[in-house]
Amino acid sequence: MRNPFALPPMPPWMEKPTVLGRLTKGLALVIICVLVLYPFVLAVGTSLAGADELREAGGWVLVPSQPTLEAYQVLLSGGVVTKAAVVTVGVTVIGTALSMLATIMLAYGTSRPGAFGSRWIVLMMLGTFLFAPGIIPSFLMVKQLGLLDTYAALVLPVLLNAFNVIVVRQFFMNVPGELLDAARMDGATDLTILRKVILPLSKAVLAVVGLFYAVSYWNAFFNAMLYVQPDKYPLQMILRSYIIDAGEMNAGDLGIAHLPPGQAIKMAVLVCAVAPIVCVYPFLQKYFVKGVLTGAIKG
């Protein structure tokens, strides 16, 4: 006879893992980490290798025996790569700041009950998921606005992302109404409520959305290919030119007399393009699950 007070059996995924299961999970994680880190370590090692070592190893060195910073010294000494890095940093910082400002204002405006036109604005934002503008209409719009061959063309066409706005808007809507009512009773305006009540409670979701925007601006190269001349290219376009297109650098382009091995230069450009985001990500990683889930799920 079944005991009515007996607990129901636990599902398999809630049972205590066995020793073999823990070892298997640990081995799987180690393999995944090695597969993820190996290409980046290989790029760093190649960028630090000398000409003779690269020639003997066939162009790829995992751990150089005599590491040298010659390739990085060349890149940072001036020339097209340094200018492109400055352009990328400027576009990323200014673009992220403007995108966050526009996203916060639009999300807050459409999250307030009874706001005029908020429903239609949200519907239009959702419509962008289904009907994305084509390359030709986007180019014609940028041209008509007089943004061709300007740094603004790298920011304004992608200033807002509908997904980010929806996530931030949903988070703002989940803020308890009692807090907002109490602030209004104390005489706070909408701008004061946004600045002193809602934003301090939204650090997690704003950190995630800000990183989304920053990574998008940092990695963008297609708009630069369409809208600006080579003298305004960001770092990703230089990376594309010298790696994807297999272009060859020369000493004249970099303003130097002696050029390190081409493979080392290419990998150094790759490391310089990837390293800043890799360094920033760990500090914001803890906000990812909390920020996205809290902003996307009501309750």
Side-chain angles (χ1 to χ4, degrees):
M1 183 175 178
R2 182 179 179 182
N3 185 359
F5 300 102
L7 296 175
M10 297 178 62
W13 59 84
M14 295 184 63
E15 295 179 355
K16 184 178 180 180
T18 63
V19 176
L20 179 61
R22 291 197 298 268
L23 291 176
T24 304
K25 291 179 181 179
L27 180 61
L29 288 176
V30 170
I31 294 175
I32 292 173
C33 290
V34 170
L35 293 176
V36 171
L37 293 176
Y38 179 79
F40 186 72
V41 175
L42 183 63
V44 174
T46 302
S47 68
L48 297 175
D52 295 337
E53 194 169 11
L54 282 173
R55 192 180 307 108
E56 294 174 0
W60 297 98
V61 176
L62 184 63
V63 181
S65 58
Q66 296 180 345
T68 174
L69 296 175
E70 186 179 13
Y72 293 96
Q73 293 172 350
V74 168
L75 294 181
L76 299 177
S77 63
V80 63
V81 177
T82 304
K83 182 179 179 180
V86 173
V87 170
T88 299
V89 172
V91 169
T92 301
V93 173
I94 297 175
T96 301
L98 293 178
S99 293
M100 287 299 297
L101 178 62
T103 298
I104 291 171
M105 299 303 291
L106 183 57
Y108 180 68
T110 55
S111 67
R112 296 306 89 203
F116 177 77
S118 61
R119 180 180 179 183
W120 294 105
I121 294 175
V122 173
L123 289 176
M124 285 190 292
M125 287 191 295
L126 294 175
T128 61
F129 291 122
L130 301 175
F131 307 101
I135 297 176
I136 295 178
S138 298
F139 180 84
L140 293 177
M141 181 190 68
V142 172
K143 181 179 180 180
Q144 291 298 321
L145 293 175
L147 300 178
L148 286 181
D149 200 25
T150 65
Y151 293 119
L154 305 179
V155 176
L156 295 183
V158 292
L159 185 66
L160 276 176
N161 181 282
F163 173 79
N164 293 339
V165 176
I166 295 299
V167 169
V168 177
R169 175 181 179 270
Q170 188 61 48
F171 186 91
F172 288 171
M173 293 178 68
N174 292 339
V175 175
E178 292 79 4
L179 289 176
L180 308 182
D181 294 338
R184 289 192 179 92
M185 291 179 63
D186 291 338
T189 62
D190 284 334
L191 186 59
T192 303
I193 293 174
L194 173 63
R195 184 167 53 91
K196 294 188 176 181
V197 178
I198 293 183
L199 291 185
L201 297 175
S202 310
K203 293 180 180 178
V205 69
L206 294 181
V208 173
V209 171
L211 186 58
F212 284 166
Y213 276 124
V215 171
S216 176
Y217 281 115
W218 184 271
N219 291 332
F221 71 91
F222 191 69
N223 282 355
M225 188 191 311
L226 293 178
Y227 303 139
V228 299
Q229 297 297 321
D231 62 315
K232 293 183 175 66
Y233 275 173
L235 188 60
Q236 300 300 335
M237 275 301 298
I238 302 301
L239 177 65
R240 179 184 182 277
S241 299
Y242 292 118
I243 295 181
I244 299 180
D245 290 343
E248 293 296 333
M249 289 186 175
N250 55 68
D253 291 337
L254 298 171
I256 60 173
H258 172 67
L259 190 66
Q263 188 74 349
I265 286 285
K266 293 176 183 179
M267 293 301 104
V269 176
L270 175 62
V271 172
C272 290
V274 174
I277 296 298
V278 173
C279 294
V280 171
Y281 180 83
F283 296 99
L284 299 178
Q285 189 271 341
K286 62 181 180 179
Y287 295 112
F288 259 62
V289 175
K290 179 181 177 182
V292 173
L293 292 184
T294 304
I297 301 176
K298 185 175 183 180

